[in-house]
Amino acid sequence: MGFLFNLRAQSVAAFRVATGRLSRLALTKGSIRTQILIFCLAMSAIAVALGGYSIVGIRHAGDLVAKTFDESLMSINYARAAGADFAAMRVASSQRLLTTDPAIRAGLDDQIETLAKALSEDLTIAADRSQSSRAAKAAAKVQEAADAWMELHRRAVVLSADGGSASAPQAGISVGDVDRYSRIVSQQVELLVNYTAGDGFLFRQRALSTIKRDLQLNGAGLTFALILSAFFSWLLARRIIGPVAIASRVARRIADGDLNATIPKGGTDELGTLLAAMETMRDNIRRMVNEEVSQRRSAQARLSDALETSREGVVLLDADGEIALANTRASEFIRLSPQLLLSDQLDISGTTRTTTSRTAPAALDNDSDAFASEAQLTDGRWLRVSRSETQEGGVVLVYSDITTLKEQKAELHETNLRLDAALTHMSQGLCLYNSEARLQVVNRRFCEIFDISPELVLPGMTLQDVLRLSIAAGNHGNRTVADLLAERDRAISPREGGNYLQHLSDGRIISIAQRPTTDGGWLVTCEDVTEQQRAESQIAFMARHDALTRLPNRTLLAERIEQAVAQVGRGSGFAVLCLDLDNFKQVNDTLGHPVGDELLRAVAERLNSCVREVDTVARLGGDEFAVIQCGVHGSEDCELLARRIVECVGAPYELNGHRVVVGCSVGISLSPGDGTGGEKLLKNADVALYRAKMEGRGTWRFFEPAMDASLQRRRAIELDLREAMAKDEFALYYQPLYDLHLDRICGFEALLRWMHPKRGMVPPDQFIPIAEEIGLIIPLGEWVLQRACEQAVTWPSEMKLAVNVSAAQFRDPAFIDVIAGALTASGLSPHRLELEITESVFLANSSETLATLHKLKEQGLRIALDDFGTGYSSLSYLRSFPFDKLKIDKSFVRDATATHGSKSIVRAVISLGRSLGMTTIAEGIETVEQLNHMRAEGCNEAQGFLFSHPVPVSEIPSKILELRNGFKPPAFKNALAS
Ligand code: C2E
């Protein structure tokens, strides 16, 4: 019983725990499907638990019934059996006592003994089955009474066996005693029966109460299960039905167009997902609607803006011809000429209809009826009126002001006429081919250059046809069309075009440029550059040769030295011999420059005759020459050559009827002993030459380190130079720049001066190279720029300022900032500042230099190429950067009136400058003759002592006054005389 109770209590507790957990799980976690599943499982679990509990209760009641039956009835039966046994014993005892037959007596004794045993067993079973203590006690008392009865019975039997019944009373035993004991036993048995029967009743009572309690518990469990299932149903409804109702309400509101409907926040289940999706859907719909609305609004606004801001006048007439819409522009036109509204008859009185054109039907919608005409307003403006019908039977009229177009057309016509004239008279030949390689345009000059009759060159011809005509004209010797095309294809890329030179049979050189046109064709221009080529090759030659003697100049000499250096170490060295003529100045001064020039040419010839082919003779300038002697095995070789040179050059000359004798001194440096770099070797040879001159002319000296006295001097300058800036020893002088066309002063060149306390005024040639070498040129150049700009800003605004800039300054990354700083600080307009650079600027890094130059030019500065013609391969630099000015070096200017070479160079440079759109300035003008010559050659500007020496800043106002109304040569002569 206790076990069953425990089992039921545990299952009820487990059920409670399980349902509690399930409900918590169902309420808090998982999807709705999970919740429903959990709900069903919970209900099933409750039903199973209730069923199980009922089964256990019924089984328990059955057990009780069985027990009542088994235990109590059996106990009663055995108690009654014990009573029956004792009754039988009493009967057998009475018979035993009455009978005398021994056999019957013995039989009855056995029967009584057997019955006593049976009685004892029945009592034991009755006591066991009843399981109550009082029944056990009653059974024990029955046994005790039965045992006592048996004792009496046995004694009575003995007495009866000894003599009859008379002796029994003597023994104290009577039949009455036996009967009394018999009644006691019967009473005890009766008591036992009653006890067992009472126990049976108690069993029944207990069973009934147990069944009743089970029934109550079942009822309670059922009620609890019903409440629980109702609770779960309520929870499920609350979790699902409520939100579903809300969701459907919101969905209906959204469907009805309420896009501001508030959507409650859902959980993580399907409803939550549904609500979130509805929110997203609502937001998307709202955004799309907003976008649509704003697009429509902006489209409308744009349309009305477009209509209002349109340069076209737009009018919409309805089917009755009434104005449905008109923009401001149209109103303006219609105010001037109301007839413009008569859309179907655009021959408006008061306006002039000039042309009527039907727009190409293919380009129009079949339903639309497009119509265009031109009309002139009363104020003179021209309109183009386009008319198209609307689907509603109305008309859209668009008025476009074509006054400008008309003017442009007229202008275009004029321009075409002018272009034709320009084409006919241009100096270049021109052919234009279309994308199908057919000739479109050709000008007269083209036919002239190739000597082809203009009637033969017809539009529509191919390039091959044109080349055939050129070959037939005898321009190309034996060359065929294929040869000419191959020549072109080698030089010209079909995409980017290109240039090449074509050499004609008669010696002319034609520069042919081909450029692709945007429509897939190409343009060919041809120019006779024979003269220019000659001039250029002459300039290129002059860049590396001395114009007077045609010997290699310093540039070529440096290259040759480099080549010789490369040979050193292969068994032989080489020597550099520097020489200059003794007393050459006297020849110049006494016999004049032409004789001096003749002398220099003769010396050059003699020097060439002294050396072998592998050696190089160069003119360094003035009366200075240099020789590179190759394959030198010892100083004796050099000595031999030096002696030969001294003797050869020293021999008398017959020049223009004058007998001239000049000596020469030679300084020699040997490579590799005295250096392996061109500059060093030249410098050392120069040092040795200096010594040779010092020690008596007409001789030669080998370089020795001790000779380097000039080096010492240079060092002294270097030391002073380092302190000069701090001591404020620099000053700027200005030399006027003279405009030859306007015939008046146009600016000044700033020239640096060093006022040395001991050496006096040191010219820049002597300290600028040193300043460049020691890096002082950077702060010094900055000082020059700042000071010059400060001073120039006070001059009249038309006065330019030219400032020299050295290559080292250009290499400085801060250079552009320095320029900007000087301009900003002074307030000088960039257009007034002109930077003079030499070609050496390009030597270090051409691309960076070009970038810097372009930046400066973009800022408005002008860039002049100084010392043009004396340096390197000038032409490539001219091509790479659009200089504003070319400065013809004073050496050419000086010789231009004397030597043919310089004259040609000057002419070539001026014509080059003109064709490249650059100003040319001649520097070093000292004589009126030179000035007139430069003016006649077409040079734009001039500078030189003839106009003025460089002057301190204080003299600038007087110089401007002097030169602003033209130049008066006598003043210069007086100045020279003084
Ligand atoms: P440059 O730029 O070619 O300057 C012209 C030089 O020719 C000046 O010499 C000028 O005095 C001289 N000159 C002008 N007219 C005549 C003339 O009719 N006959 C002769 N024989 N010479 C004339 P200067 O002032 O001695 O300057 C020499 C060079 O020093 C300049 O040559 C320029 O390269 C350099 N230089 C001068 N000032 C500066 C400067 O501030 N910065 C830099 N980097 N270089 C400077």
Side-chain angles (χ1 to χ4, degrees):
M1 281 289 280
F3 163 74
L4 278 175
F5 265 118
N6 281 344
L7 185 68
R8 271 190 300 171
Q10 278 170 13
S11 52
V12 168
F15 169 75
R16 276 184 193 144
V17 170
T19 51
R21 279 190 190 156
L22 278 172
S23 63
R24 272 200 305 282
L25 190 72
L27 294 178
T28 54
K29 296 204 169 127
S31 63
I32 290 174
R33 275 168 296 166
T34 316
Q35 290 176 23
I36 291 172
L37 184 68
I38 290 170
F39 173 75
C40 292
L41 285 175
M43 295 318 293
S44 307
I46 291 169
V48 168
L50 279 174
Y53 185 75
S54 302
I55 290 166
V56 170
I58 289 165
R59 188 173 290 169
H60 183 221
D63 286 352
L64 276 176
V65 171
K67 195 162 183 143
T68 308
F69 179 76
D70 286 354
E71 304 296 327
S72 61
L73 288 187
M74 288 290 275
S75 171
I76 294 167
N77 285 346
Y78 277 99
R80 290 219 170 108
D85 288 342
F86 184 68
M89 283 168 69
R90 273 179 69 189
V91 172
S93 168
S94 330
Q95 286 173 355
R96 172 65 176 80
L97 292 175
L98 292 177
T99 185
T100 56
D101 184 359
I104 293 171
R105 281 183 177 183
L108 288 170
D109 285 341
D110 287 344
Q111 188 182 358
I112 289 168
E113 284 302 322
T114 306
L115 285 169
K117 263 187 207 167
L119 171 76
S120 180
E121 281 171 11
D122 286 343
L123 286 174
T124 308
I125 293 171
D128 280 354
R129 292 291 170 138
S130 108
Q131 289 184 0
S132 81
S133 56
R134 63 177 189 173
K137 280 181 193 163
K141 282 186 178 168
V142 171
Q143 187 65 53
E144 204 179 313
D147 288 347
W149 180 84
M150 273 297 283
E151 191 56 43
L152 283 177
H153 164 72
R154 271 185 212 114
R155 270 192 230 159
V157 168
V158 172
L159 287 177
S160 70
D162 290 340
S165 60
S167 59
Q170 284 111 8
I173 300 166
S174 69
V175 174
D177 288 339
V178 174
D179 285 340
R180 192 167 42 87
Y181 267 92
S182 296
R183 277 193 300 277
I184 291 170
V185 172
S186 297
Q187 282 169 1
Q188 290 299 328
V189 168
E190 212 42 52
L191 201 59
L192 177 62
V193 168
N194 284 339
Y195 279 165
T196 52
D199 284 346
F201 181 74
L202 280 176
F203 269 129
R204 181 176 158 274
Q205 284 297 104
R206 206 179 301 152
L208 281 176
S209 79
T210 303
I211 287 167
K212 189 178 171 190
R213 199 180 61 225
D214 279 354
L215 275 173
Q216 283 170 347
L217 277 174
N218 270 333
L222 197 59
T223 311
F224 176 68
L226 281 173
I227 291 170
L228 204 60
S229 64
F231 174 66
F232 277 148
S233 304
W234 174 77
L235 274 183
L236 208 57
R238 216 181 76 142
R239 293 280 300 160
I240 299 170
I241 296 167
V244 166
I246 292 171
S248 63
R249 264 200 309 279
V250 171
R252 180 170 297 283
R253 284 178 66 186
I254 293 172
D256 290 346
D258 179 4
L259 296 177
N260 293 321
T262 313
I263 297 175
K265 285 271 166 270
T268 54
D269 55 16
E270 288 91 340
L271 270 171
T273 314
L274 178 67
L275 288 171
M278 282 175 67
E279 191 167 15
T280 311
M281 185 179 79
R282 182 205 59 193
D283 293 347
N284 284 344
I285 293 172
R286 189 158 55 194
R287 202 187 58 249
M288 278 158 55
V289 167
N290 287 343
E291 273 173 15
E292 178 71 23
V293 167
S294 70
Q295 270 174 11
R296 284 191 184 186
R297 270 191 200 137
S298 70
Q300 270 175 4
R302 274 203 298 272
L303 183 65
S304 82
D305 273 4
L307 273 178
E308 276 316 303
T309 54
S310 167
R311 297 173 56 80
E312 320 288 316
V314 181
V315 174
L316 175 65
L317 298 179
D318 60 19
D320 302 329
E322 296 296 321
I323 296 176
L325 181 144
N327 67 357
T328 316
R329 189 96 169 119
S331 311
E332 180 201 332
F333 293 147
I334 292 164
R335 247 195 319 279
L336 284 171
S337 301
Q339 296 85 345
L340 283 172
L341 285 177
L342 305 176
S343 61
D344 47 350
Q345 32 177 310
L346 284 167
D347 277 320
I348 306 146
S349 58
T351 64
T352 314
R353 177 175 171 179
T354 55
T355 56
T356 303
S357 65
R358 246 190 137 68
T359 322
L364 294 168
D365 190 278
N366 284 339
D367 296 333
S368 67
D369 181 14
F371 189 70
S373 67
E374 290 177 3
Q376 193 173 22
L377 294 177
T378 47
D379 63 359
R381 280 184 290 168
W382 278 95
L383 294 186
R384 178 186 160 82
V385 185
S386 310
R387 171 187 181 280
S388 54
E389 288 179 3
T390 63
Q391 283 178 348
E392 290 79 30
V395 175
V396 177
L397 293 167
V398 179
Y399 308 113
S400 316
D401 187 340
I402 54 166
T403 316
T404 319
L405 199 69
K406 283 231 155 217
E407 285 165 8
Q408 281 170 352
K409 257 190 186 169
E411 259 175 45
L412 194 67
H413 184 65
E414 283 293 308
T415 309
N416 277 341
L417 292 177
R418 280 200 292 273
L419 262 180
D420 278 349
L423 269 178
T424 311
H425 296 106
M426 70 189 277
S427 64
Q428 289 175 321
L430 178 143
C431 286
L432 179 66
Y433 290 88
N434 67 10
S435 56
E436 284 151 17
R438 297 279 169 183
L439 185 65
Q440 300 262 283
V441 178
V442 62
N443 71 349
R444 187 181 54 82
R445 180 69 185 135
F446 178 83
C447 298
E448 279 172 9
I449 289 175
F450 291 98
D451 202 15
I452 306 171
S453 166
E455 293 80 44
L456 297 178
V457 191
L458 302 170
M461 284 180 121
T462 61
L463 172 64
Q464 284 82 345
D465 296 337
V466 177
L467 291 177
R468 251 174 242 120
L469 290 175
S470 181
I471 290 170
N475 287 317
H476 308 289
N478 297 330
R479 293 203 288 169
T480 61
V481 170
D483 295 337
L484 296 176
L485 286 174
E487 180 189 35
R488 181 194 75 147
D489 293 343
R490 274 194 298 275
I492 284 173
S493 116
R495 270 211 192 141
E496 287 153 21
N499 294 10
Y500 67 103
L501 295 177
Q502 195 169 64
H503 292 262
L504 301 188
S505 308
D506 60 4
R508 283 181 301 144
I509 303 169
I510 309 299
S511 165
I512 299 181
Q514 182 174 315
R515 296 281 175 274
T517 57
T518 45
D519 62 354
W522 72 89
L523 177 74
V524 179
T525 50
C526 313
E527 189 175 7
D528 185 343
V529 292
T530 317
E531 278 312 308
Q532 190 185 329
Q533 282 292 306
R534 275 184 203 136
E536 279 183 9
S537 55
Q538 197 181 355
I539 288 173
F541 178 83
M542 296 316 295
R544 293 149 66 86
H545 291 83
D546 168 46
L548 181 68
T549 60
R550 307 188 76 75
L551 288 177
N553 63 9
R554 198 178 275 273
T555 310
L556 190 51
L557 178 77
E559 286 174 16
R560 295 270 169 91
I561 293 178
E562 292 307 318
Q563 287 166 10
V565 167
Q567 303 293 325
V568 170
R570 295 185 191 172
S572 62
F574 70 95
V576 175
L577 291 82
C578 276
L579 52 131
D580 81 8
L581 303 181
D582 302 329
N583 306 323
F584 175 71
K585 193 169 180 310
Q586 285 171 12
V587 175
N588 248 355
D589 291 349
T590 52
L591 302 177
H593 283 292
V595 176
D597 287 350
E598 273 303 301
L599 175 60
L600 290 171
R601 272 195 286 269
V603 169
E605 260 174 46
R606 288 189 189 183
L607 284 173
N608 267 330
S609 69
C610 290
V611 300
R612 295 161 302 159
E613 265 187 14
V614 286
D615 301 331
T616 300
V617 178
R619 184 183 172 210
L620 301 180
D623 58 350
E624 286 178 43
F625 294 85
V627 175
I628 305 171
Q629 185 185 9
C630 296
V632 172
H633 298 287
S635 58
E636 318 79 53
D637 292 347
C638 305
E639 211 162 354
L640 271 175
L641 178 62
R643 174 172 293 123
R644 203 162 53 237
I645 287 174
V646 169
E647 286 171 4
C648 187
V649 172
Y653 299 84
E654 283 296 329
L655 303 169
N656 294 351
H658 301 284
R659 186 182 172 79
V660 177
V661 180
V662 283
C664 96
S665 309
V666 182
I668 307 163
S669 63
L670 281 161
S671 180
D674 297 333
T676 48
E679 260 182 49
K680 181 144 195 217
L681 285 166
L682 267 174
K683 199 199 90 193
N684 288 345
D686 210 39
V687 168
L689 171 64
Y690 183 70
R691 177 60 63 89
K693 280 166 125 178
M694 290 292 104
E695 293 183 358
R697 293 153 187 264
T699 184
W700 62 90
R701 286 286 174 272
F702 284 94
F703 170 75
E704 291 161 23
M707 289 174 180
D708 205 0
S710 64
L711 195 68
Q712 304 303 326
R713 185 173 171 274
R714 188 194 165 286
R715 289 228 172 95
I717 292 181
E718 189 182 314
L719 284 177
D720 290 354
L721 201 55
R722 286 185 194 279
E723 293 170 3
M725 262 196 87
K727 290 182 182 168
D728 198 19
E729 290 173 3
F730 291 109
L732 284 181
Y733 272 48
Y734 293 92
Q735 187 177 31
L737 305 174
Y738 197 81
D739 189 315
L740 294 177
H741 294 313
L742 300 175
D743 210 17
R744 65 165 186 239
I745 184 171
C746 60
F748 290 90
E749 179 180 12
L751 293 160
L752 187 59
R753 297 290 179 262
W754 181 13
M755 310 299 187
H756 194 281
K758 287 185 193 143
R759 296 176 208 270
M761 191 158 79
V762 185
D765 290 345
Q766 284 183 23
F767 66 86
I768 286 213
I770 301 173
E772 283 174 345
E773 239 179 82
I774 64 174
L776 189 76
I777 195 70
I778 303 287
L780 189 55
E782 189 174 343
W783 178 88
V784 169
L785 274 162
Q786 284 168 354
R787 180 61 62 91
C789 290
E790 260 166 43
Q791 293 175 342
V793 83
T794 61
W795 308 339
S797 60
E798 71 275 13
M799 291 293 140
K800 285 179 292 190
L801 166 69
V803 178
N804 287 285
V805 178
S806 53
Q809 283 175 270
F810 251 82
R811 284 194 294 273
D812 181 13
F815 180 59
I816 290 185
D817 294 341
V818 168
I819 299 269
L823 289 170
T824 314
S826 61
L828 186 76
S829 160
H831 302 279
R832 290 178 64 192
L833 181 58
E834 196 170 77
L835 299 184
E836 289 191 7
I837 61 167
T838 59
E839 289 153 345
S840 61
V841 162
F842 287 91
L843 289 182
N845 185 342
S846 280
S847 57
E848 271 180 27
T849 306
L850 281 175
T852 309
L853 283 173
H854 279 291
K855 274 187 203 150
L856 291 170
K857 199 163 168 141
E858 276 162 23
Q859 287 170 13
L861 276 83
R862 290 163 56 81
I863 311 291
L865 187 57
D866 205 353
D867 302 342
F868 184 70
T870 59
Y872 309 86
S873 48
S874 334
L875 295 176
S876 67
Y877 299 134
L878 281 191
R879 213 177 31 208
S880 58
F881 182 76
F883 289 98
D884 298 288
K885 189 185 265 190
L886 292 183
K887 229 174 161 179
I888 305 167
D889 187 66
K890 50 182 171 287
S891 59
F892 298 116
V893 174
R894 192 185 56 216
D895 296 338
T897 48
T899 66
H900 181 70
S902 296
K903 190 186 273 180
S904 311
I905 289 173
V906 165
R907 183 168 295 162
V909 173
I910 292 172
S911 106
L912 200 64
R914 193 183 302 124
S915 61
L916 292 172
M918 299 173 187
T919 308
T920 43
I921 178 166
E923 71 170 2
I925 301 271
E926 293 183 353
T927 64
V928 175
E929 194 192 354
Q930 286 166 351
L931 173 62
N932 291 338
H933 180 74
M934 289 304 156
R935 207 193 287 270
E937 287 296 339
C939 190
N940 307 95
E941 290 174 16
Q943 174 186 4
F945 294 165
L946 181 64
F947 301 101
S948 166
H949 280 263
V951 294
V953 68
S954 55
E955 289 180 31
I956 282 189
S958 60
K959 279 292 160 205
I960 295 175
L961 278 178
E962 182 187 322
L963 294 170
R964 75 175 170 188
N965 294 324
F967 166 65
K968 297 169 190 66
F972 172 68
K973 281 180 191 154
N974 294 339
L976 275 185
S978 68

